Amino acid sequence: MDLGLKDRVYVVTGATRGLGYASARELATDGAKVVLTGRDAARAEAAAATLGPNAVGVAADNSDPEAPSRLIEAAREHFGRFDGILISVGGPAPGSAAGSTDEQWTAAFESVFLGAVRLARAAAAELSDGGVVGFVLSGSVHEPIPGLTISNGLRPGLAGFAKSLSVELGPRGIRVVGLLPARIDTDRVRELDSLSGDAAAARTGHESRIPLGRYGTPEEFGRTAAFLLSPAASYLTGIMLPVDGGFRHGF
């Protein structure tokens, strides 16, 4: 199926590795042009170089209020247009409800929550009919994840913001979508598994509760993201799509 991505231009944040990079790679593979970001300029440029001439890397911190306008400008400067954004943010520090400090909550709010809101608002102001705003969130939108209290607190709020934004932007033909990964085989998930003291046992335990019996691959997540951002998904908005191998049992 042709996703209709050829020559469309997307900004993908947090894309030097993991789910952001996998999404940028699948977009570029299907013909899109991509501005990918990371906090470190050298890493962003190196990641873009692996995707070829239709990708450019830009240093950006999601918590920087100036980042949204710079990234949209970069898309237009390098590729002449701007069709959408995928907002992928790093996971907050692990911690318990009682043990997470004010400083940790504030730093995570600035980066994970307010940074994502700023990026979405800026994109919404610049997009036209057919544009899309996407969020990479987490299965914690529906069910808290033990040991990730700050993430559990912030990501459901972002899902609510995304739903509200989808209602406001729908009349302009702009879509808003979210992806909810669970156990995807990334560095971040491996780090979380290792917190148990026995990463292999933790992985086996998680896989036993996934109907497909395994962790997902970044490529599988990236292909799902590319579809949701593409014109092929033109009648999907306001949704939060689990990418979890069936781990979530609710509808």
Side-chain angles (χ1 to χ4, degrees), residues 183-186 189-190 192-194 196 198-210 213-217:
R183 309 310 289 191
I184 308 295
D185 194 12
T186 62
V189 168
R190 293 187 206 108
L192 295 176
D193 284 348
S194 70
S196 69
D198 188 337
R203 179 165 182 150
T204 298
H206 287 300
E207 288 179 335
S208 72
R209 296 189 292 276
I210 298 172
R214 62 177 177 83
Y215 281 15
T217 67

Side-chain angles (χ1 to χ4, degrees), residues 11 35 67-82 126:
V11 171
V35 175
S69 59
R70 286 198 301 107
L71 295 176
I72 294 169
E73 181 181 348
R76 291 195 165 125
E77 177 184 345
H78 287 280
F79 302 122
R81 55 190 286 177
F82 172 60
E126 297 293 331

Side-chain angles (χ1 to χ4, degrees), residues 145-164:
I145 299 172
L148 295 181
T149 297
I150 295 178
S151 180
N152 295 338
L154 298 180
R155 297 195 192 277
L158 274 176
F161 169 77
K163 186 68 174 180
S164 297

Side-chain angles (χ1 to χ4, degrees), residues 171-248:
R172 291 171 48 198
I174 300 169
R175 299 184 300 113
V176 182
V177 295
L179 295 106
L180 309 183
R183 309 310 289 191
I184 308 295
D185 194 12
T186 62
D187 292 341
R188 164 75 172 171
V189 168
R190 293 187 206 108
E191 290 166 5
L192 295 176
D193 284 348
S194 70
L195 294 177
S196 69
D198 188 337
R203 179 165 182 150
T204 298
H206 287 300
E207 288 179 335
S208 72
R209 296 189 292 276
I210 298 172
L212 288 182
R214 62 177 177 83
Y215 281 15
T217 67
E219 292 77 14
E220 288 173 315
F221 180 89
R223 287 193 293 269
T224 305
F227 167 71
L228 269 190
L229 292 172
S230 77
S234 58
Y235 203 56
L236 297 179
T237 194
I239 64 167
M240 294 289 131
L241 179 65
V243 188
D244 63 1
F247 182 78
R248 180 171 182 260

Side-chain angles (χ1 to χ4, degrees), residues 12-234:
V12 182
T13 73
T16 59
R17 64 174 188 159
L19 302 182
Y21 176 76
S23 301
R25 181 177 58 203
E26 296 302 326
L27 286 166
T29 297
D30 246 79
K33 296 178 172 66
V34 183
V35 175
L36 58 84
T37 83
R39 293 183 181 182
D40 181 87
R43 290 184 62 184
E45 291 166 6
T50 68
L51 303 183
N54 286 339
V56 62
V58 177
D61 185 332
N62 284 359
S63 64
D64 178 4
E66 303 301 320
S69 59
R70 286 198 301 107
L71 295 176
I72 294 169
E73 181 181 348
R76 291 195 165 125
E77 177 184 345
H78 287 280
F79 302 122
R81 55 190 286 177
F82 172 60
D83 296 290
I85 187 169
L86 182 64
I87 303 167
S88 178
V89 299
S96 65
S100 299
T101 67
D102 286 359
E103 291 76 16
Q104 288 174 317
W105 275 103
T106 299
F109 179 79
E110 285 288 335
S111 176
V112 174
F113 191 92
L114 188 55
V117 168
R118 286 195 194 103
L119 285 160
R121 284 192 317 225
E126 297 293 331
L127 290 168
S128 56
D129 188 8
V132 59
V133 176
F135 293 86
V136 179
L137 299 175
S138 165
S140 62
V141 164
H142 293 299
E143 183 174 353
I145 299 172
L148 295 181
T149 297
I150 295 178
S151 180
N152 295 338
L154 298 180
R155 297 195 192 277
L158 274 176
F161 169 77
K163 186 68 174 180
S164 297
L165 190 64
S166 74
V167 174
E168 294 179 16
L169 298 184
R172 291 171 48 198
I174 300 169
R175 299 184 300 113
V176 182
V177 295
L179 295 106
L180 309 183
R183 309 310 289 191
I184 308 295
D185 194 12
T186 62
D187 292 341
R188 164 75 172 171
V189 168
R190 293 187 206 108
E191 290 166 5
L192 295 176
D193 284 348
S194 70
L195 294 177
S196 69
D198 188 337
R203 179 165 182 150
T204 298
H206 287 300
E207 288 179 335
S208 72
R209 296 189 292 276
I210 298 172
L212 288 182
R214 62 177 177 83
Y215 281 15
T217 67
E219 292 77 14
E220 288 173 315
F221 180 89
R223 287 193 293 269
T224 305
F227 167 71
L228 269 190
L229 292 172
S230 77
S234 58

